[in-house]
Amino acid sequence: MPDKPIISILGGTGAQGSALALRWVNAGYPVVIGSRNGRKAGQACEHISGQIKSASISHDDNVGAAAKGQIVVLCVPYASQRSTVESVRAALGGKILVDATVPLVPPKVARVQLPEGGSAVAAIQAMLGDSVKVVSAFQNVAAHVLGDLSSAVDCDVLVCGNDVAARETVIKLAADIGVRAIHAGPISNSAAAEALTSILISINSRYKVSGAGMRITGLDLTRK
Amino acid sequence: MPDKPIISILGGTGAQGSALALRWVNAGYPVVIGSRNGRKAGQACEHISGQIKSASISHDDNVGAAAKGQIVVLCVPYASQRSTVESVRAALGGKILVDATVPLVPPKVARVQLPEGGSAVAAIQAMLGDSVKVVSAFQNVAAHVLGDLSSAVDCDVLVCGNDVAARETVIKLAADIGVRAIHAGPISNSAAAEALTSILISINSRYKVSGAGMRITGLDLTRK
């Protein structure tokens, strides 16, 4: 894989997807915004091109984007997670699928409501089988923090996945946009990161802040 | 309730329970160690008395301890959680039960294996009904850090419970032993804290550290 693989972001017009797109484009990655809505996808591209000179950014529908991406990132709402993955499944073989899905169940998004089996992302890995390396990441970082290039991201990303090398790839993708990411075990452990998002929403509400995040302590990553 | 209520710790001879006992005794709380093993409980009391002058510490079996405690703290292994609570149930009415249980399933303790319904502590609240205020806390703090009075605790405690005043009481109990605790929503949200413990165990193993913890960021508690 090249040093800067093409990253396709399905649901790339949403808050989280477009913020990640902006950060990766800014870091020099070629990015394809995937969306069912060509007009909104075009606007997302213009928004990014307007902020970053020599941006390598384009858009396509989700199927086209999944085909073009060397790494595919899923940023759709929970209700669309499974159907979106099923629609692009043929394009995912051999690739890393970074799944940022949080199983929020509106309207009670501040309440942990994990799906049967615990993790929404683990269910996608089970569905896809071993030919796709599913990595869970970016559940806990506030979109508005990611979307502001002048903001430092004071939140760690928990990276879960059954393939250690795929996790390493995602940890580098995070590091390149200024985000510390941490090995957090197999894909089933994603349940913790998914559940934690509702806790952070609850904390935002209770303490009247907007960007509560999470840091792992007791870790000296220079020793790794 | 008095400013320093009697705290009874069921499973108070274990690593987490005895560490919490030490901290609370050191903070001036009267503590009762509850244990099925009188000899070990006596040793735990001596260990604490040896470190702290004028310690107010005693021991009893779990039923006796639960009866004496104005606040009851549960620190037994997951496999004993339900049976212990059932055995002391008659003594819990009207009290706060602080449940530190983490649903670890040996030998794979670094793997998130949440029980059906998500949270082991929420299941206890459901079993006990509203007459007992169950509060989930202390899942993520390493026992050996708590057990060393010279160690600063670089880990927040997520406090979940359906009764806000009971959560406030537990937040004060934590603050008094030098631990920052944070409102994290209703008891069902405890699933996140319970799952996170396996992540921290996984991180300890992966990064070869012994006391990985977690801090909530983006929070200015002075503004609360």
Side-chain angles (χ1 to χ4, degrees):
Chain A
M1 194 177 292
D3 181 52
K4 293 276 167 63
I6 300 166
I7 303 175
S8 287
I9 304 180
L10 313 186
T13 61
Q16 191 84 347
S18 61
L20 284 167
L22 175 69
R23 291 254 172 185
W24 276 316
V25 167
N26 189 52
Y29 285 87
V31 169
V32 181
I33 299 268
S35 174
R36 294 177 303 181
N37 186 324
R39 191 179 56 78
K40 280 176 71 177
Q43 289 171 345
C45 288
E46 282 170 28
H47 176 72
I48 289 171
S49 303
Q51 290 182 71
I52 300 162
K53 276 186 190 173
S54 71
S56 176
I57 177 90
S58 62
H59 66 91
D60 204 331
D61 58 25
N62 282 327
V63 173
K68 290 174 184 167
Q70 294 171 286
I71 290 174
V72 180
V73 181
L74 187 64
C75 288
V76 299
Y78 175 48
S80 306
Q81 180 199 29
R82 182 168 285 261
S83 62
T84 302
V85 172
E86 282 172 346
S87 73
V88 304
R89 182 172 188 158
L92 297 178
K95 296 181 184 176
I96 294 172
L97 176 67
V98 183
D99 191 342
T101 300
V102 178
L104 299 177
V105 185
K108 295 194 171 177
V109 294
R111 185 176 285 257
V112 174
Q113 297 177 84
L114 292 175
E116 202 179 336
S119 158
V121 179
I124 294 299
Q125 177 68 81
M127 181 182 103
L128 289 172
D130 291 344
S131 74
V132 184
K133 290 163 183 166
V134 179
V135 177
S136 166
F138 301 109
Q139 273 83 7
N140 305 137
V141 188
H144 73 273
V145 174
L146 276 179
D148 175 2
L149 291 176
S150 67
S151 283
V153 178
D154 188 13
C155 182
D156 287 339
V157 164
L158 298 173
V159 179
C160 304
N162 296 337
D163 187 278
V164 175
R167 276 195 250 142
E168 290 282 359
T169 298
V170 175
I171 287 170
K172 182 179 183 310
L173 288 179
D176 284 351
I177 57 174
V179 176
R180 186 172 84 156
I182 293 173
H183 285 280
I187 197 71
S188 55
N189 282 9
S190 174
E194 296 169 30
L196 198 56
T197 299
S198 288
I199 298 266
L200 296 175
I201 294 170
S202 170
I203 289 172
N204 280 339
S205 167
R206 175 101 205 157
Y207 293 95
K208 304 198 189 329
V209 297
S210 63
M214 182 272 311
R215 285 284 196 192
I216 298 295
T217 60
L219 204 52
D220 180 1
L221 286 184
T222 59
R223 282 171 52 202
K224 205 220 141 199
Chain B
M1 194 177 295
D3 182 50
K4 294 274 167 63
I6 299 165
I7 302 175
S8 287
I9 304 180
L10 313 186
T13 61
Q16 190 84 348
S18 61
L20 284 168
L22 176 68
R23 290 253 173 188
W24 276 316
V25 166
N26 189 51
Y29 285 86
V31 169
V32 181
I33 299 267
S35 174
R36 293 176 304 182
N37 185 325
R39 191 179 54 80
K40 280 177 71 177
Q43 289 171 344
C45 288
E46 282 169 29
H47 176 72
I48 290 171
S49 303
Q51 290 182 70
I52 300 162
K53 278 186 191 173
S54 72
S56 174
I57 178 91
S58 62
H59 66 91
D60 204 330
D61 58 25
N62 282 326
V63 173
K68 289 174 184 167
Q70 295 171 287
I71 290 173
V72 180
V73 181
L74 187 65
C75 288
V76 298
Y78 175 47
S80 306
Q81 179 198 31
R82 181 168 287 261
S83 61
T84 303
V85 173
E86 282 171 348
S87 73
V88 304
R89 183 172 188 159
L92 296 178
K95 296 182 182 175
I96 294 172
L97 176 68
V98 183
D99 190 343
T101 300
V102 178
L104 299 178
V105 186
K108 295 194 171 177
V109 295
R111 185 176 285 256
V112 175
Q113 298 177 85
L114 292 174
E116 203 179 336
S119 158
V121 180
I124 294 300
Q125 176 69 80
M127 181 183 103
L128 290 172
D130 291 344
S131 74
V132 184
K133 290 163 183 165
V134 179
V135 177
S136 165
F138 300 108
Q139 273 82 8
N140 304 137
V141 188
H144 72 272
V145 175
L146 274 179
D148 176 1
L149 292 176
S150 67
S151 282
V153 178
D154 189 14
C155 182
D156 288 340
V157 164
L158 298 173
V159 179
C160 303
N162 296 337
D163 187 279
V164 175
R167 275 194 250 140
E168 290 282 1
T169 298
V170 176
I171 287 171
K172 181 178 185 307
L173 288 179
D176 284 351
I177 57 174
V179 176
R180 186 172 83 156
I182 293 174
H183 285 281
I187 197 71
S188 54
N189 282 10
S190 173
E194 295 169 30
L196 198 56
T197 299
S198 288
I199 297 265
L200 296 174
I201 293 170
S202 170
I203 289 172
N204 280 341
S205 168
R206 175 100 205 157
Y207 294 95
K208 304 198 189 327
V209 297
S210 63
M214 183 273 310
R215 286 284 196 189
I216 298 295
T217 60
L219 204 53
D220 180 0
L221 286 183
T222 59
R223 283 172 52 204
K224 204 221 138 196

